[in-house]
Amino acid sequence: MTGLPCSIALMVLGAVGIFGIVLVAMGKQKGEAAVNSLELYPTGPIDRDDPILWGLVRDEEPLHPGLPRVRHRIVLTAPNQGPVVAAVLSHVPQIWLGESQRPAGHIGRPDLRGHRERTRGRTR
């Protein structure tokens, strides 16, 4: 396992308690690069305003019943998908929940406005 995407994925796995991971493939339009995401489901509550991880937080309908709405999403480009999945499967296979297909645009954006409102007045 080498490369920054694998390292980031494994650091996030170590930073938060994760009970499940799903690889999400995006429906690709002609001329678009394939973009996938690794969805990390927590064992406990997620701090939406964590100083490091807040940009990875997504609050959306779960991919499967029983999974939480709030999760971390790591964006993967096509060349990184294989190495990251291989790293997860070799290091933490017990939390692999499989793969899912979502329409183009599933990546979304972090809640920047909400983050700014919730953290206004905090010291850095």
Side-chain angles (χ1 to χ4, degrees), residues 26-107:
M26 176 183 80
K28 188 173 127 178
Q29 302 292 327
K30 185 177 180 179
E32 291 181 344
V35 177
N36 302 291
S37 65
L38 203 61
E39 307 282 317
L40 308 173
Y41 291 91
T43 55
I46 287 181
D47 178 359
R48 293 171 184 261
D49 300 311
D50 179 275
I52 306 263
L53 301 176
W54 77 268
L56 303 176
V57 175
R58 298 295 187 275
D59 182 356
E60 300 171 351
E61 287 298 318
L63 295 170
H64 303 289
L67 292 176
R69 286 184 56 90
V70 180
R71 57 196 178 260
H72 291 99
R73 178 175 292 152
I74 299 176
V75 178
L76 302 173
T77 58
N80 296 322
Q81 175 186 339
V84 169
V85 169
V88 169
L89 290 173
S90 82
H91 293 282
V92 284
Q94 68 278 10
I95 63 174
W96 182 253
L97 299 176
E99 298 185 25
S100 182
Q101 181 79 27
R102 297 282 299 268
H106 86 277
I107 297 299

